[in-house]
Amino acid sequence: MDAAGLSYLRSDEGAAAVAAADRLALTDASLLADVSTVRSLAGPHAPVVIEQVRARRRAAAKLGEVTGWLLTDEAVQQATPAAVAEHRARRLAWLSVHDVTCSIGAELRALVQVCPRVVGSDIDPVRARMAAHNVPRALVYVADALTPTTTADVVIADPARRSGGRRIVDPEQMSPALSALRAAYAGRSLAVKTAPGIDYDGLRRDGFDGEVEIVSLDGGVREACLWSGPVAVPGLTRATVLRSGDTGFEVVSSAPHDVDPGPAGRFLLEPDGAVIRAGLVRHYAARHDLWQLDPHIAYLTGDVVPDGVRGFEVLDEFRFTEKVLRAELRARDVGTVEILTRGAGVDPDVLRKRLKLQGSQAMTVVITRIGREVTAFLTRPTR
Ligand SMILES: C[S@@+](CC[C@H](N)C(=O)[O-])C[C@H]1O[C@@H](n2cnc3c(N)ncnc32)[C@H](O)[C@@H]1O
């Protein structure tokens, strides 16, 4: 969207056109008919009006309440989900914060709820104007993130991580790059959001001495946030597990983690992706009286499943071969099988087809390497 489109949307006439267009279905099936209605309302501005209505509808699931917000589809895709932004903001409560890549203001909205002074800036003037409109309680202007313009207690940056439709994982390819941000804000409290798949061990080897926080939301790993300066806990790795409608939890690398692997208990379970990505499987196990089957595999086992976690009650266990598994499942009249596997070199979809099951029962099979052997567990999910 350009500045002219944005000015139209901010006018009374534009706002009325968006409100009227929002009463239309605007689905792929109805679009052809709806476009002529929107043209009669907005003339040449019909495309921006339609984009606005559709972007707001798509944004609602990720960003929550966005009535009256100005957005673009691309900016919504790049935006931090509301639950993740609120989590970060809680950590910064009572501090002054400058979001130096504020885009349309998804993080600013969470920050103004808990921080006394919030500044947002972005190099893109259209996005900066949108953020100013969307979050009037923040001071927003156009600026290059690499030129410090405030003395805020904490600077947060969420550099652009897409280029030509490709997702960028290397923090030096982000815009702006991690090293440039760290140089610009050296010695200050800085939080830089990066791709969840970032090689943070490599970063530590290259001298990053701050805190790494891996964040998941409802089971999906969303980001790695690199904290440095006074706001960070030096050398700490933190897994933050956020769940809608639940308090979630965190696991930190300074927690006890002296847990030996052992044979299967009553249940098996797989820790949240943030815990695995953060390398904190044993820390999580220690906290919940669990243990690993194998020191190199993330599956955990124990006699109790932690609250809110899907576990698998072990019904039987044997050395895995396709032939034995098929016979065991047929003997139990299993026709529907969920296959979970780690470290066993098994492709669940290929195996499921080859099993050719026809029974009436459902079962979950966990296939994993333990030492040098591959073991299959027949299990019943706890939920
Ligand atoms: C991933 S988006 C940020 C999304 C934002 N955190 C949110 O939740 O809506 C990245 C933003 O960085 C901005 N950007 C890229 N390079 C910049 C720079 N050198 N200075 C300031 N902003 C920059 C882009 O214009 C874009 O709006």
Side-chain angles (χ1 to χ4, degrees), residues 87-167:
H87 160 73
R88 196 173 356 263
R90 277 193 293 276
R91 176 166 177 167
L92 303 176
W94 307 112
L95 298 170
S96 61
V97 182
H98 183 171
D99 178 353
V100 294
T101 56
C102 72
S103 183
I104 54 172
E107 301 239 11
L108 295 180
R109 175 176 58 185
L111 291 165
V112 296
Q113 306 302 322
V114 292
C115 300
R117 196 164 69 90
V118 177
V119 177
S121 54
D122 199 288
I123 206 157
D124 178 332
V126 170
R127 288 194 178 188
R129 279 179 71 192
M130 287 181 167
H133 169 94
N134 296 339
V135 191
R137 280 165 63 194
L139 169 68
V140 182
Y141 49 84
V142 178
D144 185 336
L146 297 178
T147 306
T149 51
T150 64
T151 54
D153 297 328
V154 183
V155 171
I156 67 173
D158 175 9
R161 282 186 271 135
R162 279 171 210 243
S163 167
R166 226 170 23 93
R167 283 179 193 231

Side-chain angles (χ1 to χ4, degrees), residues 16 71 74 110 140 170 214 237 247 254 262 274 296 324 327 358:
L71 314 159
E74 193 191 25
V140 182
D170 178 357
I214 313 283
T237 304
T247 47
S254 54
H296 304 292
V324 175
Q358 291 177 337

